[in-house]
Amino acid sequence: MSTIFVLVAKRLGLGLVTMIVISVLIFVGVEALPGDLATAILGQEATPETVAAFRRELKLDLPPHVRYFAWLGDFLRGDLGTSLSNKRPVAEMIVWRFSNTIFLAAAAAVIAVPVSIILGILAALYRNSLFDRTVSMATLSTISFPEFFIAYILIALLSVQLVIFPSISNINDQMSFWQKIHAIVLPCLTLTMIVVAHMMRQTRAAIINILASPFIEMARLKGIKRMRVIILHAFPNALSPVINVVTINLAFLVVGVVIVEVVFVYPGLGQLFVDSVAARDIPVVQASGLIFAAVYLGLNLLADVLSIITNPRLRNPK
Amino acid sequence: MSKLKELEKLFTKGKITRREFMARVSALGLAAAVSPAFLSSTAEAAKPKRGGRVILGSAGGSTTDSLDPGTVSHTMPQTINQIIRNMLVEVDYKGEAVPELAKSWEASPDAAKWTFKLHKGVEFHNGKTMTAQDVVYSFNEHRGADTKSAAKGVVAPIEDIKADGKYTVVFTLKEGNADFPYIASDYHIPIIPEGTKGKDYEKGVGTGPFVLQAWEPGVRFFGKRNPNYFRKGRPYFDEVEVIGISDVNARTNALKTGQIHAMNRCDTKTFHLLEKAPGIQALKLEGARHYTIPMLTTIKPYDNNDVRLGLKYAIDREILVKQVMRGYGYLGNDHPIPRNNKYFAKELPQRQYDPDKAKFHLKKAGQLGRTFNLHAADAAYPGAIDASVLIQESAAKAGVKIKVVREPDDGYWENVWIKKEWVQCYWSGRPTADWMFSIAYAADASWNDTKWDHPKFNQLLKEARAELNDKKRREMYVECQRITSDEGATPIPMFSLQLSAASAKMGFKNPAANWEFDGFRLAERWWFKS
C-alpha cells in the first residue's frame, strides 16, 4: 500500500505546481483579452474619465505582475478576494454555485454511471445481437446531438406537452431537497444522455477485449455460465479503463455543462465563469478556473489510485 | 382646454355617455387632444387587486451585475433598482415627467434654477426618513472627479445642488434646461440614504415598493411588499421575484409553462405564435430604441456631406425592417427622435432607398469608385451583421461598393465604436429630444460617436434647451431633426418595437415603453386579475 501513498503525495505536490502554472496562464489569458473590467461594465456608456476613475478605485491601473502577485499572496493566505464587479467575497459566490454544480453532477452521475456500466456489460454479453445494436445506436445518437438540442426536445416533450417537469431549474434556498430534485430532472436527464454513450462503449470494448484472453476461455471450458464469466472474471479485469473513462466523464459533468446551465437557467459555476471572463473579473475567473483545474487533477488522481487498488499487478509491482 | 377637462370629468363620473362625450368633444374641435388612453382606461375600468407573488423572467442579467446605481447597465439590475428604489421624477406612458419622490417642482424663468419639493414622511427600508440631504447625496454620487458612474455626463450640467430646509432641494444648472425634470428621472439616480457606499449598495436600501430579501446577481432577486410605501395602495403584489433567464427559448418556455408571469425581449421569429398562444398576452410597444450606423467625420471622406448623404440613400430601409426586425419596427429618417415623441417632425419627408441619388451624391464627392468599410458585430445589436450585408447588397445595386468588416463581439464598444470610420451601433433612446441630441449629437457630447460638429445645430440645441415656450421649442427641434437628417453623419435606418409577453392573469393599464418591463415599473404598476 505504501506505493499508493508515495504516489498520492507525489501527485499532490505536482498538482500544486500545476495549479500555480494554471493561475498564471489564466491571468495572462484574461489580460490578453481586449478591454478590462471598467470598459466591460460601462460598455457603450463609458467615458475616458469614468473608466479612469474605475481603474483607480479597483487598482486596475497597477502593472499586471504587481496585481498577480498581490492576488497570489492573498490566495496563499486562503483569501480568495472580492469580486471586482460587485464587491462580493469570491468564496461566498463560489461555494453556493459549486455546491449546485456538484448537486447536478452527482444526480446525473448516480443515474448515468450504473446505467452505462450495466448497459455496457449487457451489450458485451449479447454482443452483435439486436439488443447490442439498438443500445449502441441509441446512445451514439444522443451523444451526436448538441446538448441544447436534447434539452429543447426534453422540454418540449416533458415540460410543455406533458407538463410533468418544470422547464427551468432555477433552484434556490427556499426550496426543499425534493423540490430541488424535481426541478433538476430535465437537466439531469440531458446530461445523462450525453455521457452514457462514452462510458457504455468503453465498458463494452474493455470487456470484449478481456473476453479474448486465455483465462476466459479456460473458465468457459470449465462450463461456467456466460453471465458469471463476464461479471466475475472479465469485468474486474476490465475495471481500469472503465474507471478512467468514468472519471473523465465525471469531470465533464462538473466543468463542461455551461450550455445545459444556460438552457435550464441552473445557477451553477459554469455561468459564473463565463460571465466573469466577459467582464474581466479576474479574482472570480481565477478562483473558478482553479476549482475546475482541481476537479480535473483530483479525479485523475482518483482514477489512478483506483486503478492500482483494483489491479493486483499494479498494486505489487515487481 | 378647460372645457375638455370638464367634459372628461363628466364622462369619468358617468354623467354623460361615451357617445355624448365624443360628440361634444368633436363639436369643440378637440378630438385630437383627447388621449386615446383616457378613453380606453375608463372603458376597461379594471380595479387592481391586491396579493400574490409575481415572477419576472428577465433577459439582460449577468452574474457580475451589481446594484450600484451608477453602473446598473443591464435590464435585470435596472428593473430591480426600480423595484427597491425611487427617483425624484417618474416618466409615464405618455412620456410626461410626473412626480415621484418629488411632490412638485418649479423653474426660474431662464430654466437654470430648479426647486424640487419632496414628499414628507417617506421612509427608507431601514426606517430612516428621507430628507433633502439624501437627495443631495444621491446626486453627488454621480458628480466629481472620482465618480465611476455612467450618469456622470447626465448630471454634468448641474452646477450646484443645495438642500433648502428638510424637504426642498435647489438645483442650479450651468445653463437653462427646460427638460431638467427628465434628468431627475434617470434610472442611474435613485434616491439612496446618505452615506451609502460600495458594498452597501448590494443591500438595496431604498424607498421603493418592495424590500430586498435575497439577491444573487444574474440569478434571482426576491422582494417583499414595502408596507410603508409612500404611495398609498401600491404596490399590488405581496412579493416579487426576478429571475435571470438569458436564453430566449428558456424564457418563452417558462412563460408558457407558467413558471414566470412576464418576460422581456421576445424572439421576433416566434412572436406571431406567442400572439396566438392561449393564456398569454403578447405586447408590442413603440419605444425609442433605434439602430444607427455612425461615420467618423474626422476621417476622410466622411467629412464630406455628399458622401454621407449618398450612403444614406444607398440603404434600403424597408428591407432592413422586414428582414432584420421581421416587421417589428419602423423606418428611421436619419434622426434619433422616435415618432411617439411630442417633437417628432412629421413634416419631414421619409428618406427612401434611391440608387440614383446615392450615385449622384457620391459622384459629386468624387468617391463613386471607392470601397467603404462597414464595421459590424452582433454586439452592436442582434442582426447587425445581417443588416450590414443587406446594406452592402442594396448599395451594390446603386453601384456603391461596401465591404462588411466583421469585428469580434468582445471589446466592440471599446475598440470599434468611435474608433473605426463607419460602424454599427444602437441607442436605447432617451425620453426627450434634448437629451437624445445632447448625449450623442452635440459637438461636446462624450458619446458624440461621429465627432460631428455643426455650429448651427449646436446653437439651436442650446437655445431650444432653455426655451420654455412649447411652440417655439417645437420649431427648433424640427429644425434640429432636419439638420441631423440631411447633414448629420449618422444613418438611422430603423426603430424597433419592444416585444414582451405576460400571462393572461396579469392586469395592467397603458404599459410604458420607455424601458423594458413597463418602464422598469411592472412590479409596482401591475396586478393579478384573479
PDB file of all heavy atoms in Angstrom, chain B residues 16-33:
ATOM      1  N   ILE B  16     -72.217  61.727 -18.471  1.00  0.00           N
ATOM      2  CA  ILE B  16     -72.540  61.681 -19.895  1.00  0.00           C
ATOM      3  C   ILE B  16     -72.018  60.367 -20.467  1.00  0.00           C
ATOM      4  O   ILE B  16     -71.080  59.778 -19.923  1.00  0.00           O
ATOM      5  CB  ILE B  16     -71.923  62.868 -20.683  1.00  0.00           C
ATOM      6  CG1 ILE B  16     -70.415  62.962 -20.381  1.00  0.00           C
ATOM      7  CG2 ILE B  16     -72.620  64.169 -20.376  1.00  0.00           C
ATOM      8  CD1 ILE B  16     -69.693  63.965 -21.241  1.00  0.00           C
ATOM      9  N   THR B  17     -72.618  59.930 -21.570  1.00  0.00           N
ATOM     10  CA  THR B  17     -72.169  58.671 -22.162  1.00  0.00           C
ATOM     11  C   THR B  17     -70.944  58.919 -23.020  1.00  0.00           C
ATOM     12  O   THR B  17     -70.595  60.051 -23.344  1.00  0.00           O
ATOM     13  CB  THR B  17     -73.254  58.063 -23.063  1.00  0.00           C
ATOM     14  OG1 THR B  17     -73.437  58.950 -24.169  1.00  0.00           O
ATOM     15  CG2 THR B  17     -74.556  57.881 -22.335  1.00  0.00           C
ATOM     16  N   ARG B  18     -70.337  57.799 -23.399  1.00  0.00           N
ATOM     17  CA  ARG B  18     -69.158  57.871 -24.229  1.00  0.00           C
ATOM     18  C   ARG B  18     -69.477  58.576 -25.558  1.00  0.00           C
ATOM     19  O   ARG B  18     -68.740  59.422 -26.032  1.00  0.00           O
ATOM     20  CB  ARG B  18     -68.692  56.432 -24.478  1.00  0.00           C
ATOM     21  CG  ARG B  18     -67.410  56.291 -25.218  1.00  0.00           C
ATOM     22  CD  ARG B  18     -67.251  54.805 -25.532  1.00  0.00           C
ATOM     23  NE  ARG B  18     -66.124  54.604 -26.425  1.00  0.00           N
ATOM     24  CZ  ARG B  18     -64.888  54.409 -25.996  1.00  0.00           C
ATOM     25  NH1 ARG B  18     -64.621  54.367 -24.718  1.00  0.00           N
ATOM     26  NH2 ARG B  18     -63.917  54.229 -26.854  1.00  0.00           N
ATOM     27  N   ARG B  19     -70.670  58.211 -26.128  1.00  0.00           N
ATOM     28  CA  ARG B  19     -71.056  58.792 -27.415  1.00  0.00           C
ATOM     29  C   ARG B  19     -71.255  60.300 -27.292  1.00  0.00           C
ATOM     30  O   ARG B  19     -70.760  61.088 -28.083  1.00  0.00           O
ATOM     31  CB  ARG B  19     -72.347  58.125 -27.910  1.00  0.00           C
ATOM     32  CG  ARG B  19     -72.827  58.689 -29.227  1.00  0.00           C
ATOM     33  CD  ARG B  19     -73.942  57.866 -29.790  1.00  0.00           C
ATOM     34  NE  ARG B  19     -73.512  56.509 -30.090  1.00  0.00           N
ATOM     35  CZ  ARG B  19     -74.237  55.678 -30.822  1.00  0.00           C
ATOM     36  NH1 ARG B  19     -75.396  56.047 -31.302  1.00  0.00           N
ATOM     37  NH2 ARG B  19     -73.825  54.468 -31.069  1.00  0.00           N
ATOM     38  N   GLU B  20     -71.956  60.690 -26.229  1.00  0.00           N
ATOM     39  CA  GLU B  20     -72.160  62.112 -25.974  1.00  0.00           C
ATOM     40  C   GLU B  20     -70.836  62.858 -25.841  1.00  0.00           C
ATOM     41  O   GLU B  20     -70.620  63.917 -26.421  1.00  0.00           O
ATOM     42  CB  GLU B  20     -72.931  62.283 -24.656  1.00  0.00           C
ATOM     43  CG  GLU B  20     -74.367  62.681 -24.846  1.00  0.00           C
ATOM     44  CD  GLU B  20     -75.098  62.661 -23.503  1.00  0.00           C
ATOM     45  OE1 GLU B  20     -74.490  62.267 -22.478  1.00  0.00           O
ATOM     46  OE2 GLU B  20     -76.246  63.027 -23.468  1.00  0.00           O
ATOM     47  N   PHE B  21     -69.970  62.221 -25.052  1.00  0.00           N
ATOM     48  CA  PHE B  21     -68.655  62.806 -24.801  1.00  0.00           C
ATOM     49  C   PHE B  21     -67.922  63.062 -26.113  1.00  0.00           C
ATOM     50  O   PHE B  21     -67.444  64.163 -26.386  1.00  0.00           O
ATOM     51  CB  PHE B  21     -67.847  61.859 -23.909  1.00  0.00           C
ATOM     52  CG  PHE B  21     -66.412  62.263 -23.731  1.00  0.00           C
ATOM     53  CD1 PHE B  21     -66.075  63.372 -22.973  1.00  0.00           C
ATOM     54  CD2 PHE B  21     -65.409  61.528 -24.333  1.00  0.00           C
ATOM     55  CE1 PHE B  21     -64.747  63.739 -22.805  1.00  0.00           C
ATOM     56  CE2 PHE B  21     -64.087  61.888 -24.178  1.00  0.00           C
ATOM     57  CZ  PHE B  21     -63.750  62.996 -23.411  1.00  0.00           C
ATOM     58  N   MET B  22     -67.888  62.038 -26.969  1.00  0.00           N
ATOM     59  CA  MET B  22     -67.170  62.167 -28.230  1.00  0.00           C
ATOM     60  C   MET B  22     -67.811  63.233 -29.120  1.00  0.00           C
ATOM     61  O   MET B  22     -67.117  64.031 -29.747  1.00  0.00           O
ATOM     62  CB  MET B  22     -67.129  60.827 -28.984  1.00  0.00           C
ATOM     63  CG  MET B  22     -66.112  59.820 -28.445  1.00  0.00           C
ATOM     64  SD  MET B  22     -64.503  60.505 -28.036  1.00  0.00           S
ATOM     65  CE  MET B  22     -63.852  60.833 -29.679  1.00  0.00           C
ATOM     66  N   ALA B  23     -69.153  63.224 -29.132  1.00  0.00           N
ATOM     67  CA  ALA B  23     -69.854  64.195 -29.983  1.00  0.00           C
ATOM     68  C   ALA B  23     -69.540  65.611 -29.548  1.00  0.00           C
ATOM     69  O   ALA B  23     -69.229  66.487 -30.361  1.00  0.00           O
ATOM     70  CB  ALA B  23     -71.358  63.937 -29.915  1.00  0.00           C
ATOM     71  N   ARG B  24     -69.562  65.840 -28.231  1.00  0.00           N
ATOM     72  CA  ARG B  24     -69.338  67.197 -27.748  1.00  0.00           C
ATOM     73  C   ARG B  24     -67.886  67.621 -27.915  1.00  0.00           C
ATOM     74  O   ARG B  24     -67.594  68.771 -28.221  1.00  0.00           O
ATOM     75  CB  ARG B  24     -69.774  67.299 -26.286  1.00  0.00           C
ATOM     76  CG  ARG B  24     -71.303  67.247 -26.192  1.00  0.00           C
ATOM     77  CD  ARG B  24     -71.765  67.117 -24.775  1.00  0.00           C
ATOM     78  NE  ARG B  24     -71.580  68.341 -24.013  1.00  0.00           N
ATOM     79  CZ  ARG B  24     -72.026  68.475 -22.765  1.00  0.00           C
ATOM     80  NH1 ARG B  24     -72.680  67.482 -22.186  1.00  0.00           N
ATOM     81  NH2 ARG B  24     -71.832  69.590 -22.118  1.00  0.00           N
ATOM     82  N   VAL B  25     -66.996  66.659 -27.746  1.00  0.00           N
ATOM     83  CA  VAL B  25     -65.584  66.971 -27.946  1.00  0.00           C
ATOM     84  C   VAL B  25     -65.325  67.322 -29.404  1.00  0.00           C
ATOM     85  O   VAL B  25     -64.643  68.294 -29.720  1.00  0.00           O
ATOM     86  CB  VAL B  25     -64.704  65.769 -27.513  1.00  0.00           C
ATOM     87  CG1 VAL B  25     -63.295  65.943 -28.030  1.00  0.00           C
ATOM     88  CG2 VAL B  25     -64.685  65.655 -26.005  1.00  0.00           C
ATOM     89  N   SER B  26     -65.944  66.533 -30.310  1.00  0.00           N
ATOM     90  CA  SER B  26     -65.754  66.804 -31.738  1.00  0.00           C
ATOM     91  C   SER B  26     -66.299  68.177 -32.089  1.00  0.00           C
ATOM     92  O   SER B  26     -65.704  68.923 -32.868  1.00  0.00           O
ATOM     93  CB  SER B  26     -66.455  65.748 -32.587  1.00  0.00           C
ATOM     94  OG  SER B  26     -66.114  64.478 -32.123  1.00  0.00           O
ATOM     95  N   ALA B  27     -67.436  68.509 -31.484  1.00  0.00           N
ATOM     96  CA  ALA B  27     -68.048  69.804 -31.751  1.00  0.00           C
ATOM     97  C   ALA B  27     -67.092  70.932 -31.372  1.00  0.00           C
ATOM     98  O   ALA B  27     -67.038  71.968 -32.019  1.00  0.00           O
ATOM     99  CB  ALA B  27     -69.353  69.930 -30.986  1.00  0.00           C
ATOM    100  N   LEU B  28     -66.343  70.698 -30.313  1.00  0.00           N
ATOM    101  CA  LEU B  28     -65.389  71.709 -29.871  1.00  0.00           C
ATOM    102  C   LEU B  28     -64.118  71.686 -30.715  1.00  0.00           C
ATOM    103  O   LEU B  28     -63.250  72.531 -30.558  1.00  0.00           O
ATOM    104  CB  LEU B  28     -65.006  71.453 -28.414  1.00  0.00           C
ATOM    105  CG  LEU B  28     -66.067  71.790 -27.365  1.00  0.00           C
ATOM    106  CD1 LEU B  28     -65.656  71.207 -26.019  1.00  0.00           C
ATOM    107  CD2 LEU B  28     -66.251  73.292 -27.269  1.00  0.00           C
ATOM    108  N   GLY B  29     -64.007  70.661 -31.565  1.00  0.00           N
ATOM    109  CA  GLY B  29     -62.803  70.538 -32.372  1.00  0.00           C
ATOM    110  C   GLY B  29     -61.604  70.096 -31.540  1.00  0.00           C
ATOM    111  O   GLY B  29     -60.469  70.421 -31.833  1.00  0.00           O
ATOM    112  N   LEU B  30     -61.896  69.371 -30.498  1.00  0.00           N
ATOM    113  CA  LEU B  30     -60.814  68.988 -29.584  1.00  0.00           C
ATOM    114  C   LEU B  30     -60.489  67.500 -29.637  1.00  0.00           C
ATOM    115  O   LEU B  30     -59.709  67.005 -28.843  1.00  0.00           O
ATOM    116  CB  LEU B  30     -61.208  69.327 -28.133  1.00  0.00           C
ATOM    117  CG  LEU B  30     -61.174  70.806 -27.753  1.00  0.00           C
ATOM    118  CD1 LEU B  30     -61.766  70.989 -26.370  1.00  0.00           C
ATOM    119  CD2 LEU B  30     -59.764  71.348 -27.804  1.00  0.00           C
ATOM    120  N   ALA B  31     -61.114  66.783 -30.567  1.00  0.00           N
ATOM    121  CA  ALA B  31     -60.978  65.324 -30.556  1.00  0.00           C
ATOM    122  C   ALA B  31     -59.526  64.887 -30.506  1.00  0.00           C
ATOM    123  O   ALA B  31     -59.169  63.939 -29.823  1.00  0.00           O
ATOM    124  CB  ALA B  31     -61.661  64.734 -31.778  1.00  0.00           C
ATOM    125  N   ALA B  32     -58.680  65.594 -31.247  1.00  0.00           N
ATOM    126  CA  ALA B  32     -57.285  65.166 -31.307  1.00  0.00           C
ATOM    127  C   ALA B  32     -56.585  65.316 -29.964  1.00  0.00           C
ATOM    128  O   ALA B  32     -55.589  64.657 -29.683  1.00  0.00           O
ATOM    129  CB  ALA B  32     -56.548  65.961 -32.369  1.00  0.00           C
ATOM    130  N   ALA B  33     -57.130  66.225 -29.123  1.00  0.00           N
ATOM    131  CA  ALA B  33     -56.468  66.475 -27.845  1.00  0.00           C
ATOM    132  C   ALA B  33     -56.800  65.418 -26.802  1.00  0.00           C
ATOM    133  O   ALA B  33     -56.153  65.329 -25.773  1.00  0.00           O
ATOM    134  CB  ALA B  33     -56.859  67.850 -27.319  1.00  0.00           C
TER     135      ALA B  33
END
